[in-house]
Amino acid sequence: MDQRRTGTGLTGFASLPPAPRAESSAGDLEVLGGIRDVLAGLPLALLTGAGLSTDSGIPDYRGPDSPPRSPMTYQEFVGDAANRQRYWARNHIGWSHLRRANPNAGHAAVVLLEQRGLLTGLITQNVDRLHEDAGSVNVVDLHGRFDQVICLECRRTYSRKLLAGVLEELNPDFLDHATKSGLVEMAPDADATVEDLRLIRGFVVARCPACGGVLKPDFVYFGENVPKERVERAYAMVDEAKALLVAGSSLSVMSGLRFVRHAAKQGKPVVIINRGHTRGDDLATIKLEAGVSESLAWLAEELPPLPAAWPD
């Protein structure tokens, strides 16, 4: 039976069925018990990264099994029309292979944590919008969202699905030729590697329909700053919390690491759940190297309710 899902999503890997929910090992359960003791009765700020979405079929950039990648930087994108042409051509190929990724057990666990009143807020480094799809409400999409594009001149935003139709009209035979030339690899940002460079050079890039300006995916590129208001809202979530839980992030970029440093400076417990080393390990009160989905699912069930009121 064909297990693929219909619709639009982030990567070609999302056409695979989501990973079945795994059970935590005895050793992991022992560490989770310690995490529960550290976090018990504390309102939490939660920071999530790409490791949470891998069980939905979305690959990450820095996981232990991830291949080396060189994503286009913001400076490369805005500074060279040829780079934008290459980006949108490859992105159009990637988008054509996308299927709608479904939230996994980890996303569902985050919803349960929020519904139980244990979270002051959710900060995610992911652009896939799976937290919102699962039902999370108080979310800061720190790095933006993949499902819309923005004009760099007039700042109007448009649906990425709508843009796909425009690009198809501008390049009617492009996808057929690209498929025949050989699709090599799909990347986490919907980029695709294609062998025929002449095909890329013939791609027609869409402009903003309102002002003719340059269109860019509405997420933060490498080398681009996170908007100040998002950062401030995220800091407020950490300030309101009495502990910070990090799930599925290597904290390789400062946009996430700063919240770990901020919480640690305030003397708040920092718990990290991630496979592999993170840049925040030396600040962690406790670290668990295990699957994120099953660990969050366990905590969502096992953490006790918050006290009715905090003493002064």
Side-chain angles (χ1 to χ4, degrees):
M1 183 177 68
D2 190 349
Q3 300 274 335
R4 291 181 298 176
R5 298 178 293 281
T6 59
T8 58
L10 182 58
T11 75
F13 291 91
S15 65
L16 299 174
R21 177 173 170 178
E23 297 296 328
S24 299
S25 68
D28 291 345
L29 286 173
E30 183 177 354
V31 180
L32 281 168
I35 291 175
R36 177 188 56 198
D37 294 342
V38 169
L39 299 180
L42 302 180
L44 312 173
L46 176 60
L47 171 65
T48 67
L52 181 58
S53 291
T54 54
D55 283 349
S56 293
I58 297 176
D60 61 14
Y61 274 110
R62 300 182 181 87
D65 300 321
S66 298
R69 303 185 190 275
S70 299
M72 186 174 293
T73 67
Y74 178 75
Q75 291 75 18
E76 289 170 336
F77 182 87
V78 299
D80 190 335
N83 283 341
R84 293 193 293 275
Q85 181 187 46
R86 174 167 59 92
Y87 179 87
W88 280 117
R90 290 160 56 120
N91 184 273
H92 186 49
I93 297 169
W95 187 265
S96 73
H97 285 74
L98 306 186
R99 296 295 185 267
R100 185 61 166 143
N102 288 329
N104 60 52
H107 296 102
V110 173
V111 174
L112 181 56
L113 287 168
E114 183 176 36
Q115 291 175 342
R116 294 187 59 207
L118 301 181
L119 299 183
T120 62
L122 166 62
I123 309 160
T124 185
Q125 296 174 284
N126 301 333
V127 300
D128 52 39
R129 301 283 288 177
L130 289 180
H131 281 299
E132 288 85 351
D133 286 351
S136 292
V137 176
N138 189 18
V139 185
V140 172
D141 292 303
L142 193 65
H143 292 163
R145 47 192 293 181
F146 81 101
D147 61 344
Q148 67 184 26
V149 297
I150 186 169
C151 174
L152 296 181
E153 275 74 23
C154 71
R155 310 307 293 180
R156 287 180 172 88
T157 58
Y158 304 95
S159 161
R160 179 61 181 84
K161 184 178 180 180
L162 175 64
L163 179 63
V166 173
L167 291 175
E168 183 62 29
E169 290 182 4
L170 293 173
N171 304 275
D173 300 318
F174 179 81
L175 292 177
D176 287 340
H177 290 311
T179 301
K180 292 175 182 177
S181 71
L183 183 64
V184 178
E185 183 187 17
M186 303 287 289
D189 57 358
D191 194 9
T193 302
V194 66
E195 295 175 345
D196 192 343
L197 296 181
R198 291 177 300 176
L199 191 63
I200 299 293
R201 296 188 185 108
F203 189 80
V204 179
V205 178
R207 308 286 294 191
C208 174
C211 74
V214 172
L215 294 175
K216 170 188 164 295
D218 197 13
F219 51 75
V220 178
Y221 276 36
F222 289 89
E224 187 178 7
N225 293 325
V226 178
K228 183 179 179 180
E229 63 274 12
R230 283 186 214 158
V231 176
E232 291 177 345
R233 186 180 166 206
Y235 271 127
M237 291 176 173
V238 178
D239 288 340
E240 185 182 353
K242 293 190 177 296
L244 175 64
L245 173 59
V246 179
S249 175
S250 65
L251 302 171
S252 295
V253 293
M254 184 56 66
S255 63
L257 180 62
R258 58 182 150 194
F259 301 115
V260 172
R261 292 179 172 174
H262 187 69
K265 186 176 181 180
Q266 293 178 333
K268 297 174 179 177
V270 174
V271 172
I272 298 176
I273 303 174
N274 188 69
R275 291 193 186 278
H277 173 76
T278 84
R279 287 180 67 193
D281 285 355
D282 60 333
L283 299 174
T285 307
I286 185 168
K287 163 82 180 294
L288 171 62
E289 293 207 21
V292 176
S293 294
E294 58 265 33
S295 300
L296 287 177
W298 190 92
L299 288 171
E301 295 285 351
E302 297 296 329
L303 280 172
L306 296 182
W310 284 92
D312 294 331

